């Protein structure tokens, strides 16, 4: 890890450590706005002060939960970084950015999707088609643990965990340190079902039907990964790093690549397709599920190649794939099922096989 990467990692750790302070500032802002109303208007809702108090108490619960992500000394890459975290906040150099704090809040919502009972319906939409196809393709293998499956953009690790749970070997790859720290916690440090409770929706103050919806708690995990996999013959790992840099040299090493809400994270999606083609074995399978949101499209100064799905299909075919299955469906992503507004995606599910080269 070079100096720039180390500073980035410190910033991420800080954003987790300072969640409580940042979130209470947000409540301060809400409270100041409320106090700007005249007294007669404030008397219409005398429960508002109690609501602010409740928000602060939920923030405290969330803060204790989040600090579990950075308790594991193994996440600190050297002695200096461990000592840095143990310093008081005022002594630390630098400060988190607003986007880091938003990533902390989105990590809480990701826990709902991947590791709670409430997220089961959303996982069924996105993960079940991929898992069913993997079983169809490889389920009859006598030595399933020898099938190597890669999940780029693994997030909090539920899809990769489910693949290993079915007897295959899998590696999840993730670029975000927020996701890596949180996935390390849930995959390696939880010990019983619904061990931890937190409040992931308190920061969503828009489109709220009632305050109980905003304040409600979620418990995780719905399964304990270490218990489920303790006797597994399969290999399971998570790797940190950008997908192309991490895997472009692993030519012909993977039987299957499973991408879920991932390919639109590319600045240049053709680079992703090329690497996926290169690292699959001949007759290997690429299974994809997701939309084309193109995460870099509205960031000034960044490259963003925004192809239609038909254009992507043309590129896929030219990189030696044959698309064997293609379906469109509907899916949510980290949605709040009690909100007055939710985004519904119409993602594509496809299965592409890398064609054997003629000899």
């Amino acid at each position: 890890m070079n100096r720039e990467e180390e500073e980035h990692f410190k910033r991420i750790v800080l954003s987790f450590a300072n969640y409580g302070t940042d979130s209470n500032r947000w409540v301060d802002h809400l409270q100041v706005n409320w106090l700007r109303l005249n007294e007669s208007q404030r008397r219409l809702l005398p429960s508002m002060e109690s609501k602010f108090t409740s928000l602060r108490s939920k923030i405290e619960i969330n803060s204790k939960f989040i600090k579990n992500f950075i308790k594991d000394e193994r996440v600190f890459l050297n002695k200096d970084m461990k000592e840095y975290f143990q310093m008081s906040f005022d002594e630390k150099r630098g400060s988190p950015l607003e986007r880091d704090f938003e990533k902390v809040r989105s990590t809480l919502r990701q826990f709902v999707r991947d590791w709670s009972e409430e997220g089961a319906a959303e996982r069924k939409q996105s993960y079940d088609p991929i898992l069913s196809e993997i079983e169809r393709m490889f389920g009859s293998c006598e030595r399933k643990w020898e099938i190597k499956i890669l999940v780029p953009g693994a997030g909090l690790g539920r899809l990769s965990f489910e693949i290993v749970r079915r007897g295959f070997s899998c590696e999840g790859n993730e670029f975000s340190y927020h996701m890596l720290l949180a996935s390390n916690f849930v995959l390696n440090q939880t010990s019983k079902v619904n061990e931890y409770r937190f409040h992931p929706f308190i920061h969503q103050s828009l489109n709220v039907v009632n305050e109980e919806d905003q304040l409600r708690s979620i418990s995780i995990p719905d399964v304990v990964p270490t218990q489920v996999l303790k006797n597994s013959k399969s290999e399971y790992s998570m790797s940190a790093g950008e997908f192309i840099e991490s895997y472009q040299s692993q030519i012909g090493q993977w039987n299957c690549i499973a991408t879920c809400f991932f390919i639109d994270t590319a600045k240049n999606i053709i680079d992703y397709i090329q690497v996926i083609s290169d690292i699959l074995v001949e007759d290997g399978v690429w299974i994809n599920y997701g939309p084309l949101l193109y995460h870099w499209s509205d960031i000034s100064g960044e490259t963003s190649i925004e192809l239609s799905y038909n254009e992507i299909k043309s590129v896929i075919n030219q990189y030696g794939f044959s698309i064997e299955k293609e379906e469109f469906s509907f899916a949510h992503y980290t949605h709040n099922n009690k909100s007055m507004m939710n985004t519904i995606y119409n993602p594509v599910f496809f299965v592409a096989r890398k064609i054997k080269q003629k000899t």
Side-chain angles (χ1 to χ4, degrees):
M1 177 177 280
N2 60 36
R3 181 63 179 270
E4 182 179 352
E5 291 171 327
E6 186 173 305
E7 291 302 314
H8 173 68
F9 181 80
K10 288 177 179 178
R11 216 179 63 227
I12 302 313
V13 170
L14 262 178
S15 68
F16 279 134
N18 203 44
Y19 163 83
T21 301
D22 172 66
S23 297
N24 277 303
R25 287 197 196 105
W26 169 71
V27 178
D28 290 343
H29 174 72
L30 296 179
Q31 204 160 11
V32 166
N33 285 343
W34 176 250
L35 291 172
R36 286 185 177 135
L37 301 183
N38 62 51
E39 187 175 351
S40 63
Q41 290 180 334
R42 295 201 305 272
R43 281 201 299 266
L44 297 172
L45 285 171
S47 62
M48 284 300 291
E49 287 302 322
S50 174
K51 178 181 177 179
F52 296 138
T53 300
S54 293
L55 284 171
R56 294 187 194 279
S57 71
K58 307 313 181 193
I59 286 167
E60 178 63 24
I61 292 170
N62 285 356
S63 184
K64 290 178 180 178
F65 171 64
I66 285 168
K67 286 179 180 177
N68 287 297
F69 311 165
I70 47 180
K71 279 183 178 178
D72 186 354
E73 293 185 1
R74 291 172 296 179
V75 307
F76 299 101
L77 307 180
N78 56 48
K79 181 174 178 289
D80 289 342
M81 293 189 73
K82 181 181 176 183
E83 290 177 348
Y84 172 83
F85 175 67
Q86 291 173 338
M87 295 163 64
S88 70
F89 182 78
D90 290 338
E91 293 175 309
K92 290 181 170 71
R93 299 183 303 277
S95 60
L97 304 175
E98 175 56 34
R99 65 174 178 266
D100 297 325
F101 288 131
E102 174 51 37
K103 193 67 175 177
V104 174
R105 296 188 284 266
S106 71
T107 300
L108 293 177
R109 298 192 297 272
Q110 193 78 32
F111 268 107
V112 182
R113 172 180 169 86
D114 267 13
W115 294 103
S116 78
E117 293 179 5
E118 184 166 313
E122 196 170 301
R123 294 194 297 274
K124 184 177 179 64
Q125 292 171 339
S126 298
Y127 298 164
D128 278 15
I130 295 172
L131 295 167
S132 296
E133 198 62 32
I134 289 172
E135 286 283 8
R136 187 180 74 83
M137 292 282 187
F138 304 106
S140 62
C141 297
E142 290 185 8
R143 301 166 68 87
K144 291 166 69 172
W145 60 89
E146 293 183 353
I147 302 297
K148 293 179 60 181
I149 300 174
L150 175 65
V151 178
L156 293 188
R158 185 60 181 255
L159 177 58
S160 54
F161 162 77
E162 291 292 344
I163 291 170
V164 177
R165 191 182 196 178
R166 286 158 174 77
F168 306 99
S169 289
C170 186
E171 181 167 297
N173 166 246
E174 180 55 55
F175 180 69
S176 164
Y177 281 126
H178 284 99
M179 293 292 106
L180 287 162
L181 289 167
S183 64
N184 174 63
F185 160 71
V186 72
L187 290 169
N188 298 309
Q189 299 172 53
T190 52
S191 59
K192 61 183 179 181
V193 170
N194 294 333
E195 183 176 4
Y196 295 93
R197 181 174 58 87
F198 63 103
H199 302 265
F201 305 113
I202 58 171
H203 299 286
Q204 296 182 0
S205 56
L206 309 180
N207 292 298
V208 177
V209 176
N210 62 65
E211 54 271 26
E212 287 78 16
D213 294 341
Q214 184 181 4
L215 296 170
R216 76 187 192 276
S217 66
I218 295 291
S219 296
I220 63 103
D222 62 319
V223 295
V224 180
T226 53
Q227 293 178 4
V228 172
L229 301 181
K230 63 182 177 182
N231 296 317
S232 174
K233 293 182 179 180
S234 305
E235 294 183 7
Y236 185 25
S237 61
M238 290 283 287
S239 73
E242 194 275 329
F243 170 61
I244 293 173
E245 292 178 1
S246 299
Y247 291 95
Q248 60 187 345
S249 63
Q250 298 187 18
I251 307 300
Q253 294 189 23
W254 298 92
N255 301 102
C256 177
I257 313 279
T259 52
C260 185
F261 279 78
F262 171 72
I263 61 174
D264 56 357
T265 65
K267 293 183 179 181
N268 176 5
I269 194 170
I270 297 174
D271 286 340
Y272 275 15
I273 296 168
Q274 179 178 347
V275 171
I276 289 170
S277 175
D278 287 344
I279 67 178
L280 277 171
V281 300
E282 287 191 357
D283 207 36
V285 178
W286 174 18
I287 305 171
N288 175 76
Y289 187 95
L292 295 173
L293 192 59
Y294 292 117
H295 294 212
W296 298 92
S297 63
D298 58 354
I299 299 179
S300 177
E302 293 287 356
T303 298
S304 181
I305 305 302
E306 298 155 21
L307 305 184
S308 70
Y309 176 58
N310 278 338
E311 289 167 334
I312 290 170
K313 283 201 296 184
S314 175
V315 173
I316 288 172
N317 289 330
Q318 292 176 71
Y319 272 99
F321 286 100
S322 173
I323 295 179
E324 298 182 346
K325 182 180 288 190
E326 178 185 87
E327 300 170 356
F328 288 86
S329 60
F330 295 98
H332 293 99
Y333 192 90
T334 64
H335 84 299
N336 177 354
N337 63 16
K338 295 188 181 296
S339 174
M340 296 168 69
M341 187 187 81
N342 275 298
T343 299
I344 300 177
Y345 294 94
N346 184 22
V348 63
F349 171 65
F350 68 73
V351 179
R353 186 177 297 275
K354 184 176 175 181
I355 301 169
K356 285 186 178 180
Q357 300 297 313
K358 294 180 180 179
T359 58

